[in-house]
Amino acid sequence: MIEVLWHGRGGQGAFTGARLLGAAYCQREGHHALAFPTFGPERRGAPMRAFTKLSAEKIGDRSALETADIVVYLDDTLFSADACAAQLRDGGVAVVNSPRDFALPQVLSFDANGISGELLGRAIPNTALLGALVTLLADLSQGEAEQAIRALMPPRLHEKNIAVLEAALERFEPKARSAGAAGRFSAEKGGAR
């Protein structure tokens, strides 16, 4: 099983990102996913977490995650190197929405807000971060992510969000390849490779 922990603020789309990832993964027969959020004070801008579990077997464990294979930060103000290190499993990777480079080997950053702002007209980083996860997950394709966008988002948002996904893949993949993280995770193979 691959487990993904999402950190965001209310209104940034962390739960939508978690759901999109789960829906994309389930496009293949024999793939199972579970996505759910956890909230503190329910208001726009408040820190929240979401979770996605991906497996080649049915998922019975519906508990929140304390550690994960991949930790995603939709807002770099929520990132802390110490907290991230405590949440990442061995071989894990953190993806941070930030134009800054954190100079940590297990942390990959890219400007998801910049991509979404450029193509959507506002900073909604979840679809760009989905593109980053397509790069990291060996058993997930761009086409499956596009199908999830079409299944979960209103039709008026399809083409722009698919353009965000494509731009994110194009910009994130070289960084992931140079870090040795592209295709690192496979639920079919039992975790990090």
Side-chain angles (χ1 to χ4, degrees), residues 70-127:
I70 303 170
V71 180
V72 179
Y73 293 88
L74 279 82
D75 186 323
D76 65 359
T77 65
L78 298 171
F79 176 79
S80 149
D82 292 338
C84 178
Q87 291 176 341
L88 275 178
R89 294 184 184 140
D90 287 344
V93 172
V95 179
V96 183
N97 170 22
S98 180
R100 298 183 300 152
D101 182 2
F102 293 92
L104 298 167
Q106 73 277 22
V107 177
L108 301 174
S109 61
F110 84 117
D111 191 6
N113 278 348
I115 293 169
S116 61
E118 176 185 313
L119 297 170
L120 298 176
R122 46 190 282 220
I124 305 173
N126 56 4
T127 308

Side-chain angles (χ1 to χ4, degrees), residues 132-152:
L133 294 173
V134 168
T135 300
L136 298 176
L137 294 163
D139 12 321
L140 187 61
S141 73
Q142 177 181 344
E144 290 160 342
E146 289 177 8
Q147 288 175 355
I149 289 169
R150 292 185 191 284
L152 295 179

Side-chain angles (χ1 to χ4, degrees), residues 6-175:
W6 300 73
H7 289 280
R9 295 189 182 279
Q12 287 183 313
F15 181 45
T16 299
R19 288 180 60 226
L20 284 168
L21 176 59
Y25 190 78
C26 287
Q27 297 296 319
R28 290 188 201 176
E29 189 172 331
H31 281 193
H32 305 276
L34 181 65
F36 55 98
T38 182
F39 298 94
E42 294 186 29
R43 63 178 170 76
R44 190 168 203 67
M48 59 84 61
R49 297 184 309 158
F51 313 94
T52 311
K53 297 181 180 192
L54 310 171
S55 180
E57 300 175 9
K58 292 198 181 210
I59 302 169
D61 179 7
R62 298 178 177 273
S63 61
L65 304 173
E66 296 303 320
T67 62
D69 301 291
I70 303 170
V71 180
V72 179
Y73 293 88
L74 279 82
D75 186 323
D76 65 359
T77 65
L78 298 171
F79 176 79
S80 149
D82 292 338
C84 178
Q87 291 176 341
L88 275 178
R89 294 184 184 140
D90 287 344
V93 172
V95 179
V96 183
N97 170 22
S98 180
R100 298 183 300 152
D101 182 2
F102 293 92
L104 298 167
Q106 73 277 22
V107 177
L108 301 174
S109 61
F110 84 117
D111 191 6
N113 278 348
I115 293 169
S116 61
E118 176 185 313
L119 297 170
L120 298 176
R122 46 190 282 220
I124 305 173
N126 56 4
T127 308
L129 290 164
L130 175 63
L133 294 173
V134 168
T135 300
L136 298 176
L137 294 163
D139 12 321
L140 187 61
S141 73
Q142 177 181 344
E144 290 160 342
E146 289 177 8
Q147 288 175 355
I149 289 169
R150 292 185 191 284
L152 295 179
M153 292 186 159
R156 63 184 169 76
L157 301 177
H158 291 174
E159 296 314 314
K160 284 187 176 183
N161 277 282
I162 288 170
V164 168
L165 175 76
E166 290 171 351
L169 283 163
E170 184 178 301
R171 294 180 199 178
F172 185 78
E173 187 173 13
K175 181 176 273 208

